Amino acid sequence: MTALRFWLVLLQLSGLAWASNAEYVLKAYGLKIARLQINHDEKKHRITVSANSLVTNKLFPQLNNRYLIKYRENYQPESLTRIIRQKHLTDTVVTEFDFEKGLAISTRKSDGSVSSYTIKSGTRDVFSFLAFVSTGKAASGNYALDGNGLTWTALLQEKQYEAIKCTAGKFQTRRYALQLRKPSGVKAPYVDMVTHNILSDDGSMNLWVGENKLLVSASVKRRGITTTWDLVKFEP
């Protein structure tokens, strides 16, 4: 299996956990392959995500990315800052959302380029959407996601209640099934490894949401490969 395919599965899980402070270890094939750290300050409407590789070689490319999301009421984003430190890519990309004008403006630090595109009134970015799901108040239905300049559809289904055990303990959770669909006939733009690989329309995801807006566990199955991650510690 190539490094690209392996990380494609692995990084679909990034950004899926939303306690005030939470730390996860991502696993595949019984290996610990990455660490995910999330800080969610609801009072300031701010989410910080850090994704770091635990193994660096041909199979596991170097990853050291950071994401800062500022959002308004109902978890709609005001801005998304991506600090990208990957093996073959170093950049800072800032996207600002103007819902009054129905526009998003994205700026790359590496070359100073600026691009704009239209957004729907209910659009969320990947991270703010997953924070919204983690509240446990998201109903089954279709939601609009900004996917690096494309409007994706997130198909969310509420499932049964389940007990989940992980390193951090035992939790009672509600399971959600999630599938993503991009506009047909359009290639998904690339900005960074994490968001690019979350936005995949040929796989399925399951999210287990517990109390205190904590996503206790997640799994993704894509091309016969299942990747999970383990909650190792959290502070509500």
Side-chain angles (χ1 to χ4, degrees), residues 13-24 26 35-41 46-51 67 69 127 130-131 134 213-215 229 231 233-235:
L13 294 172
S14 298
L16 300 185
W18 307 100
S20 293
N21 291 279
E23 183 175 319
Y24 305 79
L26 281 67
R35 186 179 307 278
L36 184 69
Q37 294 176 304
I38 295 139
N39 176 271
H40 187 179
D41 190 331
R46 183 171 62 191
I47 302 163
T48 303
V49 180
S50 297
Y67 304 84
I69 305 92
F127 301 107
L130 294 170
S134 76
K213 303 180 180 180
L214 172 68
L215 189 62
W229 47 281
L231 175 65
K233 61 181 178 181
F234 72 100
E235 298 176 5

Side-chain angles (χ1 to χ4, degrees), residues 66-84:
R66 190 167 183 264
Y67 304 84
L68 174 62
I69 305 92
K70 296 180 180 179
Y71 63 88
R72 61 183 192 177
E73 296 298 328
N74 207 25
Y75 293 90
Q76 288 190 291
E78 293 182 341
S79 66
L80 166 61
T81 300
R82 292 177 263 199
I83 302 172
I84 305 163

